[in-house]
């Protein structure tokens, strides 16, 4: 179904970009050995959620687990503990010192991938925690949602992004990160 991508951009032979389709992904999916276990498939850290935004942490955690990570540690504020424990009991929970929001990065050594952003808010505490995470993280990262908005509002954070970091902006977030665009093709 159309999702708002310019048909002109899709059809243009001048763009270096393309659509990823099912057959493209099939060659990337590694077969899972019969006697493998959860420790075989990596350990992801997902920092998500804040007071009244626990659903973002739930949805992002479920997506992370659904896409194949072996272990997931979800870093959430204290207010999200009971919700996460009920909705995603298979996630390991790392509870922030803050009752309401993300405020500090966890020890990062044990993680093979890190995601941050869904529902963390844009408070000073979240900004400081994100800056700390970007400075200290050596694992591949996916940055989404509120983390992108924090970076957009604090352009000096761009220099903290490591090579191969994945940014996942929707059109509004993309415009905040760059500049306002008049069309999907321009974007």
């Amino acid at each position: 179904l159309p999702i708002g991508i310019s048909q002109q951009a899709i059809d243009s032979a001048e763009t270096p970009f393309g659509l990823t389709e099912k057959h493209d992904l099939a060659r990337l999916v590694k077969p899972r050995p019969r006697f493998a276990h959860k420790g075989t498939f990596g350990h992801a850290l997902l920092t998500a959620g804040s007071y009244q935004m626990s659903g973002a942490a739930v949805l992002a955690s479920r997506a992370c687990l659904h896409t194949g990570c072996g272990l997931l540690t979800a870093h959430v504020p204290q207010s999200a503990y009971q919700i996460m424990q009920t909705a995603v009991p298979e996630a390991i929970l790392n509870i922030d010192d803050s009752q309401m929001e993300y405020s500090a990065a966890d020890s990062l050594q044990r993680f093979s991938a890190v995601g941050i952003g869904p529902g963390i808010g844009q408070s000073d505490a979240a900004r400081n925690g994100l800056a700390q995470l970007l400075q200290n993280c050596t694992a591949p990262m996916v940055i989404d949602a509120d983390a992108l908005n924090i970076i957009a509002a604090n352009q000096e954070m761009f220099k903290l992004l490591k090579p191969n970091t994945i940014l996942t902006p929707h059109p509004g977030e993309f415009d905040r990160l760059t500049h306002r665009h008049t069309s999907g093709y321009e974007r």
Side-chain angles (χ1 to χ4, degrees):
L1 295 174
I3 62 169
I5 298 173
S6 163
Q7 191 62 43
Q8 182 182 4
I10 294 169
D11 295 338
S12 173
E14 298 176 29
T15 180
F17 305 104
L19 295 176
T20 302
E21 298 183 357
K22 190 173 185 174
H23 69 274
D24 298 313
L25 298 176
R27 62 191 164 133
L28 298 174
V29 175
K30 298 175 184 171
R32 297 218 170 199
R34 183 175 181 157
F35 296 104
H37 57 84
K38 62 186 174 188
T40 307
F41 304 110
H43 189 167
L45 170 66
L46 173 65
T47 298
S50 60
Y51 180 72
Q52 295 186 329
M53 292 297 286
S54 298
V58 170
L59 291 172
S61 293
R62 287 179 178 165
C64 187
L65 290 164
H66 184 73
T67 57
C69 97
L71 293 166
L72 171 65
T73 294
H75 183 96
V76 296
Q78 294 173 24
S79 61
Y81 171 78
Q82 191 169 14
I83 294 166
M84 287 292 294
Q85 196 68 64
T86 302
V88 194
E90 59 271 45
I92 301 163
L93 296 183
N94 181 277
I95 308 303
D96 199 283
D97 290 337
S98 172
Q99 173 69 23
M100 307 298 269
E101 62 195 352
Y102 171 59
S103 66
D106 190 22
S107 173
L108 300 169
Q109 289 76 23
R110 65 183 176 194
F111 302 110
S112 49
V114 173
I116 184 168
I120 65 169
Q122 298 175 49
S123 68
D124 289 343
R127 183 188 72 239
N128 293 337
L130 174 61
Q132 177 189 359
L133 183 93
L134 293 175
Q135 289 168 356
N136 297 321
C137 186
T138 58
M141 289 188 72
V142 176
I143 302 176
D144 187 39
D146 284 329
L148 293 173
N149 291 323
I150 291 169
I151 292 169
N154 300 275
Q155 296 277 316
E156 70 280 359
M157 289 180 132
F158 272 109
K159 65 183 173 219
L160 299 176
L161 299 178
K162 310 285 190 305
N164 299 314
T165 296
I166 298 170
L167 307 180
T168 59
H170 61 57
E173 292 163 347
F174 188 88
D175 284 357
R176 285 188 284 279
L177 286 166
T178 58
H179 61 86
R180 186 164 173 78
H181 296 85
T182 58
S183 68
Y185 183 75
E186 180 188 359
R187 189 173 291 106

